[in-house]
Structures are given as structure tokens and as C-alpha cells.
Amino acid sequence: MRKSIATVCLSGGLVEKLHACAAAGFDGVEIFEPDLVAGESSPEEIRALAARLGLSIDLYQPLRDIEGVEESQFADNLRRAEAKFALMKRLGADTVLVCSNVATATVDSDEVSAAQLRALGDLAGRYGVRIAFEALAWGRYVDDYRRAWRIVRLADHPRVGLCLDSFHILSRGHDSAQIASIPAEKIFFLQLADAPALSMDVLSWSRHHRLFPGEGSFDLVTFLTHVLRTGYAGPLSLEVFNDTFRQTDTRRTATHALRSLAWLEDQAARRLGTGAAEFLTEAKAPTGFDFVEIRAEDTDGIEVMLGQLGFSFRGVHRSRPARLWTSGTARIVLDEHNARDTEPLLTAVGLDVPDPLSSAARAHQLMAPPVHRRTYASGPGVRAVAAPEGTEIHLCAEGASWAGEFTGGATTEPIPASTPGPGPAAVTHVDHVNLAPSWADFDESVLFYTTVLDLDAAPRTEVPSPHGLVRSQVMHTPDGAVRLPLNMAPSGAATGCGRAGLPQHIAFACPDVTGLARAARDRGLRLLPVPANYYDDLAARFGLAAQDIARLRESNVLYDRDAHGHFLHFYTRTTGTVFLEFVQRVDGYAGFGADNAPIRLAAQSLTSRL
Amino acid sequence: MRKSIATVCLSGGLVEKLHACAAAGFDGVEIFEPDLVAGESSPEEIRALAARLGLSIDLYQPLRDIEGVEESQFADNLRRAEAKFALMKRLGADTVLVCSNVATATVDSDEVSAAQLRALGDLAGRYGVRIAFEALAWGRYVDDYRRAWRIVRLADHPRVGLCLDSFHILSRGHDSAQIASIPAEKIFFLQLADAPALSMDVLSWSRHHRLFPGEGSFDLVTFLTHVLRTGYAGPLSLEVFNDTFRQTDTRRTATHALRSLAWLEDQAARRLGTGAAEFLTEAKAPTGFDFVEIRAEDTDGIEVMLGQLGFSFRGVHRSRPARLWTSGTARIVLDEHNARDTEPLLTAVGLDVPDPLSSAARAHQLMAPPVHRRTYASGPGVRAVAAPEGTEIHLCAEGASWAGEFTGGATTEPIPASTPGPGPAAVTHVDHVNLAPSWADFDESVLFYTTVLDLDAAPRTEVPSPHGLVRSQVMHTPDGAVRLPLNMAPSGAATGCGRAGLPQHIAFACPDVTGLARAARDRGLRLLPVPANYYDDLAARFGLAAQDIARLRESNVLYDRDAHGHFLHFYTRTTGTVFLEFVQRVDGYAGFGADNAPIRLAAQSLTSRL
């Protein structure tokens, strides 16, 4: 279907917005009136620019406070509307959004509203314009699409129809199933927006916190299927008021927006079983971590640390200054290529996917920027894309043997005496990788991981740090084989630690973290210190035995418990913008030690930059 | 009274927070448990540090989810509480905050809660601790201070009393007058927080949006008088969870916090007529603008502009590289002193005050940092303070003749032919000065202008710009003689325009701005361009006559209307981080053309940096 977006979704001026929408691949736009009014281009120029860019102007919006008024007021409203119809003719827009009256309504009558819309429709007809009437969730009298539909039916005018907006319907909890009974030809326009579950007045919620489809908690797939069942064939159009998207890069946000719409359309079409030929390629979710890469001008410090933590050196890459270290299935690539002046930085995550070709095709269809590499090939050519926060995500075939590209290490040799054997204290696999999108990237990262990689998004949480609240949201597969917590630094914090403002980390699973911590310490590793007060509090909170507390304390190991089981973990200090975590999940503990995150953040603040 | 603050109000680690509280001048602190737990200092070290700094530890907080539970759960809660009482003994804290149960309560009974608090009181007694029980606004069963008071009365234990928190009482709209009937000795602690009027769930409101007293919409003066009427003599303590204050400079925020408390105590004491000897000095609000200063390495460009706008050059300062320009009562000082590499920047505002000595004394008592100058003396010595956003506020005697320090200008000479005479198009006075606090300064600026200068704060608004929403709030005297709108740049916007992120401006009143705009243009001034689309919209909105629109359009003059009258205004382009506005208020128009601000912001974005 044709895809459109309201210019109010984006930052910048109107000309910049039109260029960005066209570059992203939208078919049309809704022009938000203040964008036109504040811009220097004439309506004729905008019309010509849109035409050259291949964008239709699908809607001009909004006309406010038109109906439900006394006759004298309505006469003035008609005068105002006529000026806008004349403008629309210059602009080449044929549909106008008329919102239900918020400010000036004094007549609570379907009949009066219908008669006034009918008069408006007569006037609009003279300019070739049609009226899409929308019930705002906070309209004074008309705040429900079902009432708006009664009024449109009463108006009974070919130029008067409905605009449906998912936010106004779903925010009020109105049943969208009844949309299916509206004739498609009376649905003049469809606006789509998601939103997080928030308890606040609906106006503030709408004006500041809308999200693109797939990023919030509305069931937009069901909503859209109800609309499509009517036979609606107009554009799918985004109208997302969001304080962050008003500030982010115009072109990037336009692409981000179109990705959300492509995903939503696909989901709804699959549900309806229509348009199979145009479906996005299905790609099964990743099944595990293949490798994680850290880049630095000098990776020696990390190699010493990995040795102390029982990892084995597996060799140097044949053609690139990169070195491989492993423990169990965990593979860490340390890359010094193209890393001048780079402090250690988490640059790439390899994920095992059942079918890399399908995953790459889907990523491409969803506009993920491809990344080109000459190495770590997992089959013919490299399949990697850049996630919004900057991580390179490599789509690896399970069991691919790229490790053979690394030579000279311990792969086929006995493990040196200075590293522990594959005993109980050895790392078995990567448990999770913690990424740190900036405030500008966060929502887009959530959408990327859910739509491109089919991960689930856990609810958002917040963690206090000495420098403000850190927003956190975990992306994961249902079985937990891949877990990617996203952490966002406080927006105003003086950052300066890597591109993302917060350090990132790799968490390794280990069946005996206390033993590993002790062994690493004995080999000279300085762990992230944990304050004694933490252990006193642990004793009070969980009633652990004194000797258990002593054992944790001696190893700087943190503890948590959930409904299933318990959790032990410790951290290295930060080097560059990377640190490592070692975790032990007992009896199906499913969390990440969130209650311990403030302890970690405070300790990091004391021992390094945040 | 003694003044205290919860460590959760501030950013940083616990040691840093204690130093900041002592440096600001607080008498005590509430220690928020997570601050202690995450810190590396032992309780004994914190106790010793607080003692050395002269801070008492007035409260340890919080113990959660204690009462209203089954007996087996309660036994575990007692164990947990005892560990905390032992910790408090080490810390030297004798009062603990027990919040009403949110998570684990299963027994909705005053008698059970009272019996459990009584048992807790017995245990606390053994450690020299007393229990301050507080009804959280979102407590599962106990969410009203009146119910908490019933439970405390039933508990009837010398170590069990109440903690009153203004947020939990006022956010729910509970009547605080009934506090007056509680015996003072049963009010163990008093927590104070303000908050803006927001419609959202009370937990989110409380955890993210509390403000210091005087910054929000709660009537804390009345609340505090109700508490003080009981005879309460414990500390006045701030507990303010705020996402911004968690990120701002620790020491500065501590001073900001203490200022709010000093103001609140004074207001309540005056209301009650007690403690007159300790009142803050009363200082009458300013009566007008005395001067505005712009600093730059080279002020030539501004002088040309002022000349084009009909200002007269009045001379050079006798001892400083500063020049005075005036029109009517508007006086602009252009200062090149100490301005190397400085682009034009609004640095100082002189306000006429009825009694500069009192105003300076009050500012000093409210911890406004003094500013020292050797010039523009308005009487013996200079009285100036730095506002939080950086503006120097000079407290000037009305009618002071410092202008005589400038010599060689047109003061006593006929006005040159190249400037307009004092005709209808000449500026008569400064209408308002628009300042631009950063996100970190905004709330503190509001508090500064209301408490130090006795200005009123209008409600907050938001203005869309091409780079995000600009928060705006007008500080003003009731008669409008002094108006200081504060504008805050979008938090995440790439700023870089001066220290504040947005340009600042001076608005001059003029009885014929259209004439002035035309005259200035004829003298070669390039005004901020206004798009033609704006004038088309103006015609549609207000139904102005075509020739009126043409006249406005030809002069780049903007138009607005309110319930009283109408408003005409135009802008210069930005130079450095300063621009000028010229306004004409007709028939008592009281606003600032807020609907035109997006037009201005868009035009500025096109013609310069935001």
C-alpha cells in the first residue's frame, strides 16, 4: 500500500523534510500546516518540489474547531476554511483533516455537527477538496470515532468522510473492531501511531510520547487489520508527535519511520493472508551469539585480562591485524584494523541465524544499512548491517568455521598451564551483550532489533546512576539464547565516554563465577570493587548465611534473586568504553541483576568515567 | 528552624553530596539508603564525615513494605529491620522512615498495622531508633496521612510517630488543615517537595517531577503553616526526586535547594507572625528596566543597527570601553571590556528597584552570588548578582544618574538628522528581556526570579522550533513593568550558540512598530524575514483587511490578538547570540506573540544558527 508520513514527525524545515521523506522512500506526505506557514517556500514551490521528488500531498492538516458551534461562529469558520481550501488548491492537496472541536464547541448535537460538515463539504467541493473528519481523544463533545462516524453518516455528503487515527482510538481503549462495518469509501484517511503504556492525560501523552508502530504497546496489527477488512485502499500514514523525533536527524528519522510502517503493513497482510507476493522475507530469530568484536589501536590490555579470565588465545587472522580468544563457545575477536587512536570499543556482534541469506534479505528490505567487511566471512561474502546505535550486527551461519581463518593459536594445541582447564570455573558462552544507544538512537534501536531480528522487547525500566537515571530495555529471544539489554545515558549528562555516552559490555556465562573471580584475582586481575555496605545490605535483604556473604564479598561477586532462582555476577573494570561481566544463573533466574546496576554504576563512576 | 535535605535530591556519590550540603549551609541530611549502599565509605566514616562537616543525620530512609502483612512475613521484616537499626547505630542516625506498604501488604487493618509498628518500635528502641511512619500516596492500603495517624495513635508507642511529606498529601488533594490537630511530639519528621500541575499517575509524578518549594504549583506555605501550628520543631527537610536535579552540578543544586527552603520558611513564618527577627529582608519588586548590556569584542555592528532603529549615541564611558545608546527610557550599554573573542552576548540587565540596599540584602540572604563591577555604579558601590542562567542582574536605584558617566555623546546636543526624532516611531522603553537558561538552569532560574526579585511565574508553555520543543515561562511583575520570559532549548539539540543554547533578546516598546520597521529598512537594516505563507495564514485566521496585511507584510511585522487587544512586532537578525525585537501593544494586549514564536524560530534557523 502507499505509505505516507506527517511532516510534524520530523525535525527541520519543510523543504528538508520533503527531501528526507523522498530519500527514505515514502510515497506521500501529510503537510502539517505550521510547517508550511513557517517556511519560506510558496505553496506552488512546495507542490512542484513534491512532484519532482515523487511525493503526493495526501493530506493538509489540521482545520481545528470548525463544527458544533453557533451559526455566527460557523460563518467565520467557513471564511477561515475557504482560505485554506484556496491554499490547498495552490498546494495540490485534495484532502483536509478536520479535527473534532476542542476549544469553541458549544452545541452538543450530532445533527448540528453533521449540518455544519455538510455545509463545509459544499464549500470544499468548489475547490476540489474533501473533508476527513476525525474524533480527537480530547474533543469537547466528539471524542469517539463511532460518534464521528454517526455524524459523517448524518452529513451524508460525498465530500465528507472519516479520518481514523490509531492513537485517538486505542488511547481511549475504544473497540477498533467496529471499524470493519464502515464502508471503505467513507474512510478518507488513516493515521497510524503507537505509544508506550503511560498513565497521564491523553493530550500530553499524544503530543509528546507517540511512537512509530512497533515501538510502543498498542496492538496496531489488529487495528490495521480491522481497517483493511473494510477494503480501505488509501495511504497508511504516520502521525507521530514525539519530543525526541522532533530533534533527531531528519533523514535518519524518516528511514526509521518507514521501517516501522513496512513492518506493520507486513504483519497485517500476513494476518489477513493478502498480498503474499509482497511480504517481507521471513527470517527466523537468532539462536545464539557467534562472536563479539572489540576494536582498539592496542588490544594488549584486553588480551591480558582475557588470559586472566581463563580465555584461550586462538590465533592471529591471516590477513588482518585481528586476534581470536575463546572460552567454551564464547569467541572474542580483538581487532586493531583501522583503529588509530581508538580506545577499546565494542564494535560488532555476530549472531547465529538459521538462514543468513533470509536474515540479510529482510534486513535489506527493512532498510538496515549494510556493512562491508573483507574478513570473518561466514560463507560466501559477509552479511552484516549497522544497528541504529552503531553496532555492526553480523548474520552468521550456525556452525560456520571462520575461526579457521585464525592461525598460530591454541586451537589444536594443549591449553597452556597458565589458563584454567575447561573446569567448572571456565566461561561456557556469551550470556548477553549490553549496548548503549544515545537518546537519539534508543527507540530506533528497539524497532531495529524487534523488526529486523525478531527479538522481543521487555518493558522499559530505569536505573539510578550517580549522574542521573539510565533508561534500560532488554531485547531478547523467547528462550534467552540472545539477550541484548539497551542502556541509555541520562540525556543531559556530560558524556564523553565513547560514541554512546555509557560504556558497553559483554556478559559471559560461567557455572562458577565465584571460583572464576577468585582465580582471575589470583592471576592479577583487578575486578570492579564492590562496597562493603552492599554486602551488609545483601545480608539484610536476603538473609544469606554469613559465610556465603563472606565468600561473595571476598570475590567482589554480586547477588540477586527472582521468583525462579538466583544470580551471581561480577565485573571487570572499564577499559576504553568496554567492560566484561561474568554471570551465573541458578535455577532459571531470568533477570540481569537490575537491583545491582546502581552499585555497578556508582563503582564505575568512582573508578573511571561513567 | 533546622534545614535538611535528602541525599536523593542530588547527583554524585554520598561523600560528594555531604560536602555539597555542608558547603551550601544545610544543618542536616536524610541519608537515602541506596546512596550509602552504593558508596565505598563505611557507616562509621560517613558518621565521622558528617560530624566534621557539621551535618546531623536526621533520617535514614526508607524501610519499605514492613506492616500490613501476615505474621510469617512480618517475622522476616523484623529481621530485615533489625539489620538496618544496627546499621543506623553505626551511622549515628536515630530516626528511620517507614513507608506504608506498597508491594507485600495483604492485611487491610489499622489494628494489624498498629500492632506491627508497635513491635517494630520495641525492636527499634533497643537500638535507640524511632520510627517515622509515612503514608505513600500509592500505598496499597495506607495512602492518606490521616489513616497513618490513626495507625500511629493505635500503636501508642513512644518510638512510633509520623513522617509528613507534602507531596504525598498535596498530590492527592488531601486537606492539610487537619495536620494542626496532631500533637507536635508525634510528628517525627517533615519532608517538603513541590511539584508542577501534571495529570499523570502519582508514582511517576513523584519519582520524576518533584520540584523544590516555590518552583511548582503546590501551596506549600499554607501546608507548612499547618504543620508549624502544631508546634513541630524538627527539621524542615527536602525530598525531591527530579530527573534533572539528579544530573546537575551537586554543589550548585544544594545551594539552589537551600534557597528554596529559606524562602519557604520565611513565607510561613510571616504568615504565622513568628520569628520576625529572622525574617528575610523584604524587598519590593522591580519597577522597570534600568539598562541592558551587550558585551562583545567589537560592538560596531550593533551600534549601526541601533542607529538604524532610531537610538541615539550618548557617549563613551569615562573609564571603560563601553558606549551608551538610548531611546526614550531604554538604555543599552555596549561593553567591549574583557570581551576578547566574544561575539555579541547579552550579559547584564539593570532593574530599577525601590530600595537597592534591601534588594541586595535579600539576594545575599538567598545565596545569590554577588557580582563585582567597577562601573555603572548606581550609588555607593555596585549591587549586582548573578542569576542562575548567567545574567548579571544589577539592582539600580530609580532615577540614578549613572548615564552621566558617559561623555561625548548626544546627551545635551541636538539629535543628529540621521536618527528619527522622538516621533511616533521611536522606542519608548524596554518591554521585556528574553533569557535562555539551559536545561540544567531552568528551574533554578524560575526560583531565583520569584524569590529574590519577587516576580510572578506565569504557567509553563512549549513552543515548537525546527529543532525540537522550546520550553517557555514568563517571569513578570503584576503590572508588566518588568517581564523576563525564560526560554529553554530542547535538551538534546545540538546547541553551540552561546552559553545558553538559544539566542537571547531585548524587546523594545514602540508606539508604531510598522513605521519603525519601515524607517529602519529605509536606513539599510535587514530585518528577520517573515514568510509570505505567514501573512496568508494571518488573513485566514483573523480576517484582517487586505491592505492591513499588505502593510504588515511589507515591513516584516508579525501580528497577534488576545482577549484584550492586539500586538504588532518585528525582529532583527541575530548577531552573535543576541537579537532585538520591537513590540507595540494595543488595547492592553498582555502576551508575547507566542503563536508567532515558531515563525521566528524557523526564520532564525534559516538565516543563522538556532
Side-chain angles (χ1 to χ4, degrees), chain A residues 253-527:
Chain A
T253 306
T255 301
H256 168 188
L258 188 58
R259 178 182 298 144
S260 76
L261 212 44
W263 168 82
L264 176 62
E265 180 186 27
D266 181 64
Q267 293 285 308
R270 283 176 189 280
R271 184 88 63 89
L272 292 168
T274 57
E278 292 177 12
F279 284 169
L280 296 177
T281 302
E282 271 193 286
K284 289 209 170 61
T287 56
F289 290 97
D290 193 273
F291 71 92
V292 185
E293 179 194 80
I294 294 169
R295 192 177 292 179
E297 179 162 17
D298 180 351
T299 62
D300 278 5
I302 302 220
E303 293 196 79
V304 169
M305 188 161 76
L306 288 174
Q308 290 164 330
L309 286 158
F311 282 73
S312 301
F313 172 60
R314 296 296 176 169
V316 178
H317 194 267
R318 285 186 214 145
S319 65
R320 187 179 169 108
R323 302 161 71 83
L324 175 65
W325 287 73
T326 70
S327 181
T329 63
R331 305 198 275 196
I332 306 298
V333 176
L334 302 175
D335 192 353
E336 296 181 346
H337 181 62
N338 198 13
R340 185 163 156 189
D341 294 333
T342 303
E343 291 282 297
L345 181 69
L346 201 161
T347 41
V349 174
L351 296 173
D352 287 330
V353 291
D355 179 1
L357 280 172
S358 300
S359 292
R362 182 177 179 89
H364 175 72
Q365 290 155 10
L366 286 167
M367 291 156 278
V371 172
H372 299 290
R373 283 271 188 121
R374 282 175 305 186
T375 187
Y376 317 150
S378 52
V382 177
R383 287 172 204 96
V385 292
E389 77 285 351
T391 319
E392 290 180 12
I393 301 292
H394 292 245
L395 305 163
C396 306
E398 289 168 44
S401 57
W402 57 265
E405 297 173 21
F406 291 81
T407 57
T411 314
T412 57
E413 291 150 33
I415 288 164
S418 68
T419 59
V427 160
T428 56
H429 60 281
V430 173
D431 183 87
H432 61 275
V433 176
N434 194 304
L435 304 171
S438 74
W439 64 272
D441 302 329
F442 196 93
D443 293 309
E444 190 182 359
S445 289
V446 170
L447 186 74
F448 172 86
Y449 288 110
T450 53
T451 60
V452 173
L453 291 178
D454 198 23
L455 301 184
D456 296 337
R460 284 187 198 174
T461 60
E462 274 166 342
V463 176
S465 86
H467 306 292
L469 296 176
V470 173
R471 193 209 284 182
S472 183
Q473 191 162 17
V474 178
M475 307 286 112
H476 63 98
T477 53
D479 65 359
V482 172
R483 297 177 175 108
L484 297 171
L486 306 180
N487 280 0
M488 181 180 104
S491 63
T495 57
C497 183
R499 64 184 165 211
L502 277 178
Q504 305 192 112
H505 79 267
I506 312 165
F508 299 99
C510 167
D512 175 13
V513 296
T514 313
L516 179 59
R518 200 181 307 118
R521 194 199 52 199
D522 291 348
R523 289 186 209 107
L525 183 65
R526 292 170 68 223
L527 302 178

Side-chain angles (χ1 to χ4, degrees), chain B residues 74-287:
Chain B
F74 186 64
D76 193 54
N77 291 355
L78 278 183
R79 183 196 57 71
R80 176 161 59 95
E82 184 162 13
K84 297 305 172 186
F85 297 156
L87 172 70
M88 289 172 64
K89 204 163 176 182
R90 296 169 62 196
L91 194 59
D94 68 0
T95 306
V96 67
L97 178 73
V98 173
C99 306
S100 61
N101 198 321
V102 171
T104 64
T106 53
V107 186
D108 184 7
S109 153
D110 289 356
E111 287 69 24
V112 168
S113 287
Q116 292 179 340
L117 286 182
R118 199 179 309 121
L120 194 69
D122 283 341
L123 180 64
R126 280 187 250 144
Y127 292 87
V129 166
R130 55 185 206 155
I131 308 294
F133 182 56
E134 173 183 80
L136 294 180
W138 54 90
R140 182 173 294 179
Y141 301 125
V142 182
D143 59 4
D144 183 327
Y145 79 95
R146 293 161 294 199
R147 181 162 184 192
W149 169 228
R150 275 202 304 279
I151 292 169
V152 165
R153 259 180 306 173
L154 275 175
D156 190 24
H157 192 289
R159 296 216 163 252
V160 177
L162 275 183
C163 173
L164 297 174
D165 180 314
S166 61
F167 183 89
H168 294 297
I169 295 168
L170 300 177
S171 66
R172 298 289 307 273
H174 294 158
D175 177 11
S176 61
Q178 295 169 50
I179 291 171
S181 66
I182 302 173
E185 66 273 15
K186 294 308 278 186
I187 303 176
F188 282 7
F189 208 74
L190 175 64
Q191 293 179 318
L192 296 162
D194 205 340
L198 293 174
S199 303
M200 55 166 56
D201 71 282
V202 72
L203 176 59
S204 300
W205 190 19
S206 172
R207 289 285 169 79
H208 299 285
H209 300 287
R210 290 186 180 204
L211 290 169
F212 292 122
E215 296 173 352
S217 61
F218 287 167
D219 180 1
L220 284 179
V221 177
T222 299
F223 175 84
L224 182 55
T225 58
H226 290 148
V227 177
L228 296 182
R229 282 212 179 90
T230 66
Y232 174 78
L236 308 179
S237 190
L238 296 166
E239 190 196 31
V240 172
F241 301 87
N242 177 291
D243 288 0
T244 298
F245 303 153
R246 280 178 184 274
Q247 298 183 46
T248 48
D249 180 82
T250 315
R251 286 184 174 242
R252 228 181 103 175
T253 306
T255 300
H256 167 190
L258 188 58
R259 177 181 298 144
S260 76
L261 212 44
W263 168 83
L264 176 61
E265 180 186 26
D266 182 65
Q267 293 284 309
R270 284 177 188 278
R271 183 87 63 91
L272 293 168
T274 57
E278 292 177 10
F279 283 170
L280 297 176
T281 301
E282 272 192 287
K284 291 209 168 64
T287 55

Side-chain angles (χ1 to χ4, degrees), chain A residues 8-264:
Chain A
V8 74
C9 304
L10 303 171
S11 69
L14 183 53
V15 169
E16 189 182 357
K17 294 180 187 199
L18 293 180
H19 279 282
C21 293
F26 278 100
D27 303 298
V29 292
E30 304 176 27
I31 289 189
F32 187 57
E33 175 163 69
D35 281 328
L36 181 81
V37 170
E40 58 184 350
S41 305
S42 69
E44 291 79 5
E45 286 174 292
I46 294 299
R47 175 186 198 145
L49 175 64
R52 173 168 69 80
L53 294 172
L55 292 171
S56 55
I57 298 177
D58 293 325
L59 191 77
Y60 188 73
Q61 62 145 310
L63 263 183
R64 296 189 192 280
D65 300 328
I66 291 288
E67 40 62 60
V69 296
E70 307 292 338
E71 274 312 303
S72 63
Q73 173 73 58
F74 186 64
D76 193 55
N77 292 354
L78 278 183
R79 182 196 57 72
R80 176 160 59 95
E82 184 162 13
K84 297 304 171 185
F85 298 156
L87 172 70
M88 289 173 65
K89 202 162 178 182
R90 295 169 61 196
L91 194 59
D94 68 0
T95 307
V96 66
L97 177 72
V98 172
C99 306
S100 61
N101 197 322
V102 171
T104 63
T106 54
V107 186
D108 185 9
S109 153
D110 288 357
E111 286 70 22
V112 168
S113 287
Q116 292 178 341
L117 286 183
R118 198 180 309 120
L120 194 70
D122 283 343
L123 180 64
R126 280 187 250 145
Y127 292 86
V129 167
R130 56 186 205 154
I131 308 293
F133 182 56
E134 172 183 78
L136 294 180
W138 54 91
R140 181 173 293 180
Y141 301 125
V142 182
D143 59 5
D144 183 325
Y145 80 94
R146 292 161 294 199
R147 182 161 184 192
W149 170 227
R150 274 201 306 277
I151 292 169
V152 165
R153 259 180 307 174
L154 275 173
D156 190 26
H157 192 289
R159 296 219 163 249
V160 177
L162 275 183
C163 173
L164 297 174
D165 180 315
S166 63
F167 183 89
H168 293 297
I169 295 168
L170 300 178
S171 67
R172 300 289 307 271
H174 294 158
D175 177 11
S176 62
Q178 296 168 50
I179 292 170
S181 65
I182 302 173
E185 66 274 14
K186 294 307 277 186
I187 302 175
F188 283 7
F189 209 73
L190 174 63
Q191 292 178 318
L192 295 162
D194 205 340
L198 292 174
S199 302
M200 57 166 54
D201 71 282
V202 72
L203 177 58
S204 301
W205 189 19
S206 172
R207 289 284 168 81
H208 299 285
H209 301 285
R210 290 186 180 203
L211 290 169
F212 292 122
E215 296 174 350
S217 60
F218 288 165
D219 181 1
L220 284 178
V221 177
T222 299
F223 175 85
L224 181 55
T225 57
H226 290 148
V227 177
L228 296 182
R229 281 213 181 90
T230 66
Y232 174 79
L236 307 180
S237 189
L238 295 167
E239 189 196 30
V240 173
F241 301 87
N242 177 290
D243 288 0
T244 297
F245 303 154
R246 278 178 186 275
Q247 298 183 47
T248 47
D249 180 82
T250 315
R251 284 183 176 243
R252 229 182 102 174
T253 306
T255 301
H256 168 188
L258 188 58
R259 178 182 298 144
S260 76
L261 212 44
W263 168 82
L264 176 62

